[in-house]
Amino acid sequence: MANIVKAALLQTDWTGDKESMIVKHEEAAREAAAQGAQIICFQELFYGPYFCQVQDAEYYEYTEYIPDGPTTKRFQALAKELNMVMVLPMYEIEQPGVYYNTAAVIDADGTYLGKYRKQHIPQVKGFWEKFYFKPGNGGYPIFDTAVGKVGVYICYDRHFPEGWRALGLNGAEIVFNPSATHRGLSEYLWSIEQPAAAVANMYYVGAINRVGIEPLGENDFYGQSYFIGPRGEYVGDKGSPHDPELIVREFDLDLIREVRDGWQFYRDRRPEAYGELVEG
C-alpha cells in the first residue's frame, strides 16, 4: 500500500497582537484537520511580527521557554485533539539573554518530540537577526512522528546546502523550511533553492513564507508557499504571492525510496573527499 501523507502549510499576515495571531493559527489547524491534514507547519516566528526589521530589545518579550512555555503547551493540547503533528516556529528563551529562533515539533498525540534551533543567522538590512538570536547548537535532528521522519531548516538556513544534506543523512522524509522573506533577490531564489535541495537529497520539502507588509518595516513578504517532491517537482500549485492561504497537499512517502534507488546520490557521495569544506 502507498504511504500517503496529507500535509498543510499556513502562510498569513500579522494581525497586530500575539493572542489573535495564535487564535488565527489554531483556526487554521482546525481547518487543515477538516481537510484531512495529518501534519501542519507554521511560518517563522509564527505568533509575532517579523521584528528583525528593526533592532529593539522590547521584542525580547516575545520569547518563551520551549517546551514549558504557554504556546507549546497550548498547541500540544490542540495537536492531541486534532490527532495532528505540528511544527511550531517560535522565539525561544533558554535563560535571560540567551535566545534562539526555534521550531518545536509536537506529535499527533500531543507529545513534545523536541526542537530545532536555526543554525545560520543573518545580519543585513531588514534582517537584523544577530541582535535577537544566538546560532543554533542542537545539530540537525530528525523527529520520528506519526506521519514519518520530519526535519526542520529555518529561513536563511536554506542558503546553506550542508544542512539540507545533514537532514537527509539523518533520515528525513519531509523537511519544513518556515521563513520570512521579502520581494527582491530572494523571490527568484525562493523558486529554485528548495526544489534543488529536495532533488539533491531526495525527500519532500515544505516551504512556508508569510505575506504582506508589516508596520515595523518595508519588507513585502511574498508568500508563495509550496511543497516539493523528491524529484524536485511541485506538489500542486504555489500559494498566493499576496494573500493568506492554507495549503493542503497529498503525497506518497514511498516515492522517496523509488527515487533514491534510481539516483543513488547517497551511495555515490564521497565524504572522504570533502574535508576542505569544513576547514576554516
Side-chain angles (χ1 to χ4, degrees):
M1 292 179 62
N3 186 8
I4 302 299
V5 169
K6 186 171 280 192
L9 313 171
L10 178 65
Q11 62 174 45
T12 194
D13 52 2
W14 169 234
T15 59
D17 67 88
K18 181 177 177 178
E19 176 59 23
S20 64
M21 199 68 169
I22 289 174
V23 169
K24 175 187 278 196
H25 284 77
E26 288 173 327
E27 292 172 348
R30 293 183 186 282
E31 173 58 29
Q35 293 185 40
Q38 301 156 277
I39 182 170
I40 191 168
C41 183
F42 301 145
Q43 62 202 21
E44 184 180 20
L45 303 168
F46 86 89
Y47 55 61
Y50 183 68
F51 44 74
C52 306
Q53 294 180 82
V54 299
Q55 298 182 84
D56 192 328
E58 74 172 283
Y59 294 102
Y60 296 157
E61 295 301 318
Y62 279 88
T63 59
E64 291 191 14
Y65 289 97
I66 298 174
D68 296 327
T71 301
T72 306
K73 296 299 184 186
R74 186 164 168 173
F75 280 88
Q76 282 184 267
L78 185 62
K80 183 176 182 179
E81 175 191 337
L82 300 178
N83 192 33
M84 177 185 286
V85 180
M86 293 187 171
V87 180
L88 310 174
M90 296 184 286
Y91 191 10
E92 180 193 8
I93 176 173
E94 182 177 67
Q95 62 183 51
V98 180
Y99 310 130
Y100 295 95
N101 188 332
T102 299
V105 180
I106 311 301
D107 210 356
D109 63 359
T111 301
Y112 168 75
L113 296 178
K115 69 184 82 170
Y116 168 74
R117 289 170 168 169
K118 185 174 181 176
Q119 292 275 8
H120 306 92
I121 309 297
Q123 183 74 358
V124 296
K125 182 180 179 182
F127 298 89
W128 304 115
E129 295 201 9
K130 283 186 167 67
F131 184 86
Y132 294 99
F133 311 123
K134 185 174 180 178
N137 56 4
Y140 301 94
I142 300 304
F143 306 98
D144 196 358
T145 77
V147 299
K149 297 183 184 301
V150 171
V152 186
Y153 212 34
I154 298 175
C155 197
Y156 189 64
D157 281 333
R158 71 181 181 276
H159 304 307
F160 300 86
E162 296 85 356
W164 290 114
R165 177 51 54 87
L167 289 163
L169 292 173
N170 288 341
E173 296 173 297
I174 309 169
V175 175
F176 290 99
N177 182 230
S179 300
T181 187
H182 71 99
R183 297 180 204 281
L185 290 176
S186 167
E187 190 169 7
Y188 170 71
L189 295 177
W190 183 255
S191 297
I192 61 175
E193 281 183 314
Q194 287 97 317
V199 74
N201 296 287
M202 300 166 289
Y203 49 48
Y204 287 91
V205 173
I208 312 98
N209 185 28
R210 60 178 65 204
V211 293
I213 300 175
E214 299 176 358
L216 289 175
E218 298 178 353
N219 288 0
D220 185 1
F221 302 107
Y222 53 76
Q224 300 179 58
S225 304
Y226 59 81
F227 282 102
I228 287 288
R231 290 195 176 101
E233 75 283 11
Y234 284 90
V235 181
D237 296 330
K238 289 183 182 179
S240 168
H242 298 287
D243 301 319
E245 187 173 346
L246 177 65
I247 294 155
V248 180
R249 302 285 185 266
E250 186 175 271
F251 45 80
D252 183 0
L253 293 183
D254 286 344
L255 181 60
I256 294 171
R257 179 165 184 173
E258 178 182 328
V259 172
R260 290 184 179 183
D261 284 349
W263 277 115
Q264 291 292 356
F265 294 153
Y266 288 107
R267 181 195 66 193
D268 296 337
R269 57 187 295 274
R270 295 284 309 284
E272 73 279 4
Y274 305 150
E276 63 192 75
L277 295 180
V278 293
E279 294 175 0

